[in-house]
């Protein structure tokens, strides 16, 4: 979010509960505005079909919406794009650029997140220098990651048992119907895709998820 320093971004991250990943779409700005109005805290553009130039143009549009609504803007995979877009967050998968190198590119102000898919990766991400948060999953198989084995809720339980000091999010196939299982496994933050991107009313869909997350006794 342009104008926020690293401490402010990390403070907002610590308070975040609902993280939305969305592909590009014709109504992207309107859709994201509605989702944030419903309670989304972080918005990530995840669209592998976009080259850097078009992605930056889309991110510029998203940055305006996120700044106006007070949400954090996340870039997937590309440290150079995150730097150019003045994004708040860079999210890295296990096979992406190493965290130390990404940190050299984006500097200290940008939040860096990691994807983790087993206990060893989650344990590493909970203490890896330069990492601010991590995601653990998938909880269920998901078409956004075809062919990836879902470690399921056992990984969520194991991560919760570690009691990481860093914020962490459960991810993968989570929707309103499955959310109670995820919360019962020990998660207090979630990443969603289709639960909001495929909703007829994205604001209402986000509100319903946030209500469950806020009422979660494990918070």
């Amino acid at each position: 979010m342009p104008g926020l320093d690293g401490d402010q971004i990390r403070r907002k991250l610590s308070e975040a509960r609902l993280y939305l990943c969305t592909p590009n779409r014709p109504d992207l700005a309107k859709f994201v505005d509605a989702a944030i109005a419903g309670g989304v805290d972080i918005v990530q553009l995840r669209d592998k079909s976009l080259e850097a130039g078009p992605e930056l143009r889309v991110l510029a549009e998203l940055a305006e919406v996120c700044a106006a609504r007070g949400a954090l803007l996340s870039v997937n995979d590309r440290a150079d794009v995150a730097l150019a877009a003045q994004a708040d967050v860079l999210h890295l998968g296990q096979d992406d650029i190493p965290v130390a190198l990404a940190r050299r590119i984006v500097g200290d102000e940008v939040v860096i997140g990691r994807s983790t898919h087993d206990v060893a990766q989650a344990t590493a991400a909970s203490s890896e220098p330069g990492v601010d948060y991590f995601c653990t999953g998938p909880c269920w198989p998901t078409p956004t990651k075809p062919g990836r084995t879902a470690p399921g809720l056992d990984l969520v339980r194991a991560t919760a048992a570690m009691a990481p000091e860093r914020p962490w999010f459960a991810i993968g196939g989570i929707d309103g119907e499955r959310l109670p299982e995820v919360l019962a496994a020990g998660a207090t933050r979630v990443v969603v895709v289709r639960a909001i991107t495929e909703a007829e009313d994205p604001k209402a869909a986000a509100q319903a998820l946030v209500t469950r997350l806020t009422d979660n006794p494990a918070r």
Side-chain angles (χ1 to χ4, degrees):
M1 184 185 302
L4 295 185
D5 62 28
D7 288 341
Q8 291 171 318
I9 294 170
R10 287 173 175 85
R11 191 155 49 245
K12 291 184 73 69
L13 171 69
S14 71
E15 298 168 352
R17 290 289 176 268
L18 185 57
Y19 190 143
L20 169 65
C21 292
T22 179
N24 192 21
R25 48 192 282 172
D27 64 341
L28 185 64
K30 180 180 179 181
F31 161 72
V32 168
D33 184 73
I36 297 173
V40 165
D41 301 297
I42 307 172
V43 179
Q44 180 188 122
L45 177 67
R46 182 190 288 169
D47 196 321
K48 300 289 189 179
S49 69
L50 291 175
E51 297 291 342
E55 183 176 4
L56 283 169
R57 289 191 286 273
V58 175
L59 286 168
E61 183 179 27
L62 279 186
E64 290 186 9
V65 177
C66 289
R69 286 285 188 182
L72 298 179
L73 175 64
S74 174
V75 167
N76 190 41
D77 297 346
R78 296 282 301 267
D80 56 337
V81 171
L83 178 64
Q86 295 183 283
D88 306 297
V89 181
L90 169 65
H91 190 84
L92 300 174
Q94 289 292 315
D95 296 323
D96 291 331
I97 184 173
V99 171
L101 181 54
R103 183 58 76 192
R104 287 171 55 191
I105 294 170
V106 300
D108 294 329
E109 302 296 290
V110 174
V111 162
I112 292 181
R114 288 284 264 165
S115 295
T116 68
H117 312 299
D118 58 38
V119 173
Q121 291 174 359
T123 301
S126 70
S127 60
E128 183 177 4
V131 172
D132 294 286
Y133 76 92
F134 63 96
C135 298
T136 190
C139 298
W140 288 272
T142 169
T144 61
K145 296 290 184 180
R148 173 165 290 162
T149 301
L153 295 177
D154 285 344
L155 179 55
V156 176
R157 294 185 187 96
T159 303
M162 291 176 356
E165 293 185 4
R166 293 173 176 170
W168 62 278
F169 297 76
I171 188 172
I174 299 170
D175 56 22
E177 184 176 339
R178 289 168 164 171
L179 182 56
E181 294 180 67
V182 180
L183 299 179
T188 59
R189 301 172 175 88
V190 298
V191 180
V192 300
V193 183
R194 290 172 296 155
I196 296 178
T197 62
E198 295 183 0
E200 290 186 11
D201 186 337
K203 180 179 179 180
Q207 285 176 328
L209 293 167
V210 168
T211 296
R212 288 282 184 94
L213 288 163
T214 303
D215 291 344
N216 177 24
R219 276 192 65 186

